Structure formats: structure tokens, C-alpha cells
Amino acid sequence: MTHNHDSKLFDGMVIFTQVVDCGSFSGAAIATGHSNSYISKTLNKLETRVGVRLLNRTTRSISLTPEGQVYYEQCQQLVFDAHDAVSLLKQSHIEPKGVLKVSCPTSFAQSHLQEVVSAFMHQYPQVNLELDLNDRHVDLVQDGFDLVIRATEQLAESSLVCRKIYSCKGYTVASHDYLKRFGVPTTVAQLSEHQCICYSNLKQANKWSYSHNNGTHSQVEVKAKLLCNSASMELAMVLAGHGICRLPEFVMEKALQQQQLVILLNDYIPPTIDVYAIYPSRKHLSPKVRCFIDLLVEKMPKVAL
């Protein structure tokens, strides 16, 4: 007998949750494509099998009994889990498709994203990419992005999922030519006498903070010779000898390798700048987003994360 009951354990469960969700037998009938009498019979059988009344029925409406409420919550979870199980199976086989909307800071995209985007387009021809390259703060949900890449020293707490994909240092730099003309600052305080190039997306663009190797902290208010919202433009102007700038390493890797820039203030600890892939909670991460993140992680230079 028990075995017989076991084999019918899930019978009627989906119909039952559908009736509760729709608020009526006729609603559930339309939603499932069954007749009203089929819905009614299924529920009667279910109540007989579980041995309690689950629904109070009147001609006008239906409502859950206390036992029905408890059972409904469990059934609902089981139905969700069953849907999840199916979509997991499908996800490992289905080709990512649709539109993938990604936002990324311009300079990071130029230095590190081109290979990832190219590989993604080769591997997943059914996905159309929309890349929004800008350095402003975007709202992932409000602006309708599937994925946002952001570089920051401090990540704001949020309900979104963040995965660190890259890490580098930030340096204070100038060109040889600039230093020849204006001298080399050796303390933070001396920066206030120099021409500085500041990043306007920061709240306090012209207040630069430093931590010394000996544990002390200093802040200086600098004169913004140029205030600008693009790191690549800042780099171009530093290279052209217009001033001192603070930039993440990824913006100026080439220039540093070719020794076009001098790193200043070596007695101070360079801040770490982390780059994150940020996306909505991972409960239903679509294949297109998952595949893009996997590629990002695979293609990023292997740095200590």
C-alpha cells in the first residue's frame, strides 16, 4: 500500500498550487488547459489522499484551510525546485542567445575587454552584444544591464552579486618632461604646488589621500589643471606633460612598461583597485551571462585576486 501512495506522492500538487495562485478553479483550468471538472476531480483525489481538507470552497471563492496553507507553501517550493531542475538540465545544453547588455569603464574595456568580447562573439554566435563603455556610475537594474564591470577601491554594499575578476595598484605618476620642468614632489603636501589632473567621477576629485609606509595618513587638496571623466584622456594629458595624475595600473600598463611615466611618492602604499563583474542575484543566472563571466575569468591576466 505504501508504495502505491509513494508513486502518487506528487499527483495533483501542480494543479493545487495553480488553483491557489489563480484564486479559482476556472482560472486554473484556463492556465493549465484542463476542464473545470478535471481540476475539481484532481483536487478531491488529492484531499482524499492526504486525508485533510485543503480548500474551503464557496460558490463565489476558494480559500486555504490552515492545513492547506502549510501544504501549499511546501508544494510551491517543490514546484519551484522542479522548474529549477529542468532549467539546469536545459542550461547545460542550450546555446546562450538573445541580447547581452554589458557596461564597462572605457579604459578597462580598451586594455582588457577586447579579447574577451571577440572570443565571446566567436563562441556564442546567437548572442547579440550591447556594450556600453563609460566611466560613470550606472544602475544595473534601472538601466537594464545584465552585467556591469566596475573598478573601485571600495565596493558599496548591495544586494547584487559581485565577482572579483582583476586586481591592480593605483599610482601617482607624471612624465619625465613635466618633472624636469616643475620638479619632483617627494611628500604629499608638495602636491598642492603642482598642476594635477583629476578624475571627475570621484566625489572629491581634488582631495587625494595617501597612507605612508610608517602607518600615517595624509590628505592634500590639489589644484585641478584638468578635471575630466575619462581615464584614457587623463593618461594622454599626463603623457603630454600637463601634470601629475593618479591612475589605476590597467590604464597605463604600456606607458609604464615603456618607461614613459615616473611613479611618484614611493614611500606611500599604492592603493589596490579591484575590478568586479556585478550582476543581479545568481538564483537564475542566464546562460549568456554565465558564459560571459566564465570567459572574463578565463581571459583575465592571472593576478593575485
Side-chain angles (χ1 to χ4, degrees):
M1 262 324 273
T2 343
H3 291 306
N4 191 24
H5 272 317
D6 279 354
S7 68
K8 293 186 173 163
L9 196 56
F10 294 96
D11 288 6
M13 218 178 246
V14 176
I15 298 284
F16 169 61
T17 57
Q18 198 80 51
V19 168
V20 178
D21 293 341
C22 294
S24 70
F25 280 33
S26 52
I30 293 164
T32 58
H34 289 297
S35 64
N36 275 15
S37 64
Y38 175 84
I39 301 283
S40 183
K41 267 186 210 141
T42 305
L43 271 183
N44 290 339
K45 274 189 205 158
L46 178 62
E47 286 182 328
T48 308
R49 204 176 74 245
V50 294
V52 291
R53 184 180 257 293
L54 299 169
L55 289 171
N56 296 315
R57 308 161 177 72
T58 69
T59 44
R60 293 274 159 126
S61 66
I62 54 163
S63 62
L64 284 165
T65 63
E67 295 83 358
Q69 182 64 46
V70 172
Y71 188 65
Y72 169 70
E73 281 162 21
Q74 292 299 315
C75 287
Q76 198 183 32
Q77 191 54 55
L78 287 167
V79 172
F80 280 150
D81 290 346
H83 279 306
D84 270 0
V86 173
S87 67
L88 280 173
L89 281 179
K90 283 187 182 155
Q91 277 195 15
S92 56
H93 300 299
I94 55 178
E95 185 72 1
K97 53 166 104 48
V99 175
L100 178 66
K101 203 174 165 196
V102 179
S103 172
C104 182
T106 316
S107 48
F108 188 74
Q110 284 164 355
S111 59
H112 284 82
L113 209 65
Q114 290 172 1
E115 194 194 342
V116 175
V117 169
S118 179
F120 186 82
M121 287 167 77
H122 277 305
Q123 282 181 39
Y124 306 109
Q126 292 192 56
V127 179
N128 296 327
L129 268 175
E130 267 184 38
L131 288 183
D132 174 67
L133 304 185
N134 70 61
D135 295 347
R136 71 187 167 87
H137 172 78
V138 295
D139 185 314
L140 181 86
V141 180
Q142 210 79 46
D143 300 335
F145 288 106
D146 297 298
L147 182 75
V148 166
I149 295 168
R150 280 295 166 261
T152 177
E153 279 181 62
Q154 199 64 56
L155 199 64
E157 285 298 303
S158 79
S159 60
L160 302 164
V161 182
C162 304
R163 176 147 183 199
K164 193 195 288 189
I165 56 170
Y166 181 81
S167 204
C168 70
K169 298 292 181 204
Y171 294 111
T172 305
V173 294
S175 68
H176 297 281
D177 170 54
Y178 174 86
L179 297 171
K180 212 175 284 167
R181 290 182 0 242
F182 294 94
V184 180
T186 52
T187 68
V188 168
Q190 285 172 8
L191 288 173
S192 62
E193 298 150 26
H194 281 266
Q195 293 182 183
C196 291
I197 295 170
C198 301
Y199 186 54
S200 59
N201 280 329
L202 296 173
K203 280 196 182 75
Q204 296 184 304
N206 66 332
K207 286 205 173 96
W208 292 2
S209 302
Y210 290 86
S211 302
H212 197 281
N213 287 327
N214 66 14
T216 58
H217 299 283
S218 8
Q219 189 183 56
V220 62
E221 195 158 324
V222 299
K223 289 193 281 282
K225 176 76 176 171
L226 170 68
L227 189 60
C228 168
N229 66 354
S230 152
S232 348
M233 178 59 96
E234 286 184 285
L235 174 62
M237 294 306 108
V238 176
L239 288 169
H242 292 294
I244 294 174
C245 190
R246 300 189 81 179
L247 285 168
E249 200 176 0
F250 66 74
V251 176
M252 49 183 178
E253 273 171 339
K254 272 205 189 87
L256 287 172
Q257 280 161 10
Q258 293 164 4
Q259 299 182 328
Q260 296 170 282
L261 292 171
V262 178
I263 294 176
L264 304 168
L265 305 168
N266 287 315
D267 293 341
Y268 296 84
I269 301 163
T272 297
I273 292 152
D274 294 319
V275 180
Y276 295 90
I278 304 167
Y279 47 98
S281 122
R282 65 162 63 91
K283 186 160 169 28
H284 291 293
L285 197 52
S286 68
K288 60 185 180 186
V289 177
R290 205 188 56 242
C291 293
F292 194 84
I293 292 167
D294 289 347
L295 260 181
L296 265 180
V297 172
E298 180 196 319
K299 299 277 181 201
M300 280 301 129
K302 294 293 171 265
V303 284
L305 294 185

